[in-house]
């Protein structure tokens, strides 16, 4: 067999003479894989972020710091009672849910948490975070399972019992998203593909203020340091008179 022009190469095929792409170092690939993993981390819900903030505040704070926003003095009249520290044992102030447990009393600056209560509350927050994560994961899996079940379902024909529109309620409801499936057949490969399209209708009503802006919590300020009282000497001839304002008594004719 006579040698061919390409027989001097390492292989016996023409493709062996083509230049091979340069391989990236292993450490570069590891860095890229780590970077992709960080970007794919799911975002935490509002409930989990709130519990983590409370747990971190209980662990790191000394309990002597005062609330920079001044706390709240509604004494659970406008807000719910605090589920963590319901009362200050120094001055007896009733604390609402706006007063965070890791801050000092807004009135007498006493520490609200003892060491035992602090450790118990920290374990309580950790347990609440675990339960919330499990609850959200269960809901996510339920949504995924419902989506899988909907993929195998046949489209509902008009006029059937399943296509009967439900009874409308008096309360306005948000429009629901509709999913459509398209079956495409490739004439060359003789293979079919199923594509899903979801139409999300836009609500016609404008976004409410609570949805567009962060709701500002109303806080009741501290009472005045002095007690409001009448400093005038009462009149013996008119002991029933109003001492806060001057009144003109008109005799009855």
């Amino acid at each position: 067999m006579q040698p061919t022009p390409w027989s001097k190469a390492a292989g016996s095929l023409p493709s062996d003479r083509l230049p091979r792409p340069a391989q990236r170092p292993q450490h570069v690939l590891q860095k890229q894989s780590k970077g992709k993993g960080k970007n794919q981390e799911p975002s935490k819900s509002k409930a989990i972020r709130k519990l983590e903030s409370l747990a971190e505040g209980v662990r790191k704070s000394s309990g002597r710091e005062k609330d920079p926003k001044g706390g709240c003095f509604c004494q659970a009249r406008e807000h719910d009672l605090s589920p963590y520290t319901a009362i200050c044992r120094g001055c007896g102030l009733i604390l609402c849910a706006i007063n965070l447990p890791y801050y000092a009393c807004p009135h007498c600056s006493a520490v609200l948490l003892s060491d035992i209560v602090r450790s118990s509350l920290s374990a309580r927050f950790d347990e609440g975070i675990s339960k919330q994560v499990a609850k959200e994961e269960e809901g996510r899996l339920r949504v995924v399972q419902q989506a899988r079940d909907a993929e195998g379902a046949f489209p509902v024909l008009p006029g059937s019992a399943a296509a009967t529109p439900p009874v409308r309620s008096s309360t306005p409801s948000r429009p629901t998203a509709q999913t459509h499936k398209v079956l495409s057949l490739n004439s060359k490969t003789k293979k079919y593909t199923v594509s899903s399209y979801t139409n999300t209708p836009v609500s016609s009503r404008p976004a409410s203020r609570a949805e567009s802006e962060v709701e500002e919590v109303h806080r009741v300020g501290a009472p005045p340091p002095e007690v409001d009282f009448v400093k005038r000497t009462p009149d013996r001839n008119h002991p029933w008179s109003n001492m806060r304002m001057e009144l003109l008594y008109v005799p009855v004719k």
Side-chain angles (χ1 to χ4, degrees):
M1 182 177 179
Q2 296 181 356
T4 56
W6 54 80
S7 60
K8 296 180 180 180
S12 60
L13 298 176
S15 60
D16 295 335
R17 301 183 62 187
L18 298 177
R20 296 183 180 180
Q23 296 182 356
R24 295 185 179 181
Q26 189 69 18
H27 65 278
V28 176
L29 297 176
Q30 291 179 358
K31 289 183 179 180
Q32 291 182 354
S33 62
K34 290 181 180 179
K36 291 181 180 179
K38 292 180 180 179
N39 296 332
Q40 294 178 356
E41 290 182 357
S43 59
K44 298 179 181 179
S45 64
K46 183 178 179 181
I48 293 179
R49 292 199 305 268
K50 182 180 179 181
L51 290 173
E52 288 180 349
S53 177
L54 289 171
E56 184 179 2
V58 169
R59 294 191 188 98
K60 293 184 177 181
S61 65
S62 62
R64 297 180 178 85
E65 299 89 352
K66 299 196 68 173
D67 190 350
K69 296 183 179 180
C72 182
F73 290 83
C74 74
Q75 301 189 46
R77 293 189 181 96
E78 294 190 11
H79 310 112
D80 295 334
L81 188 67
S82 174
Y84 314 115
T85 51
I87 188 173
C88 174
R89 301 187 181 276
C91 63
L93 178 67
I94 303 298
L95 301 173
C96 67
I98 304 300
N99 297 289
L100 299 179
Y102 49 82
Y103 284 132
C105 175
H107 178 62
C108 67
S109 301
V111 179
L112 299 176
L113 298 178
S114 61
D115 295 338
I116 299 177
V117 176
R118 184 184 297 274
S119 59
S120 175
L121 197 58
S122 178
R124 178 180 173 183
F125 286 140
D126 293 339
E127 183 181 1
I129 293 171
S130 302
K131 290 183 178 180
Q132 185 66 25
V133 169
K135 180 180 178 181
E136 293 180 2
E137 181 66 18
E138 182 181 356
R140 187 187 66 82
L141 295 177
R142 189 185 306 111
V143 171
V144 171
Q145 185 63 34
Q146 290 176 358
R148 290 177 179 175
D149 296 341
E151 288 181 359
F154 288 95
V156 180
L157 299 176
S160 60
T164 305
V167 180
R168 296 183 179 180
S169 59
S170 59
T171 57
S173 60
R174 294 185 177 180
T176 57
Q178 298 179 357
T179 303
H180 305 277
K181 295 183 180 297
V182 178
L183 180 64
S184 303
L185 180 63
N186 193 336
S187 59
K188 295 181 179 180
T189 60
K190 305 300 181 180
K191 294 182 180 181
Y192 68 91
T193 56
V194 180
S195 304
S196 300
Y197 300 93
T198 303
N199 297 332
T200 305
V202 181
S203 178
S204 59
R205 69 175 183 85
S208 61
R209 197 168 188 178
E211 294 176 358
S212 58
E213 299 178 2
V214 179
E215 184 180 358
E216 185 66 23
V217 180
H218 174 67
R219 297 172 180 263
V220 178
E226 296 181 359
V227 180
D228 187 16
F229 66 97
V230 178
K231 299 180 180 180
R232 293 166 48 191
T233 305
D235 188 3
R236 294 183 179 180
N237 298 326
H238 302 86
W240 58 86
S241 62
N242 190 347
M243 303 295 294
R244 293 182 177 273
M245 60 178 65
E246 294 291 342
L247 298 178
L248 178 62
Y249 293 92
V250 179
V252 179
K253 296 183 179 179

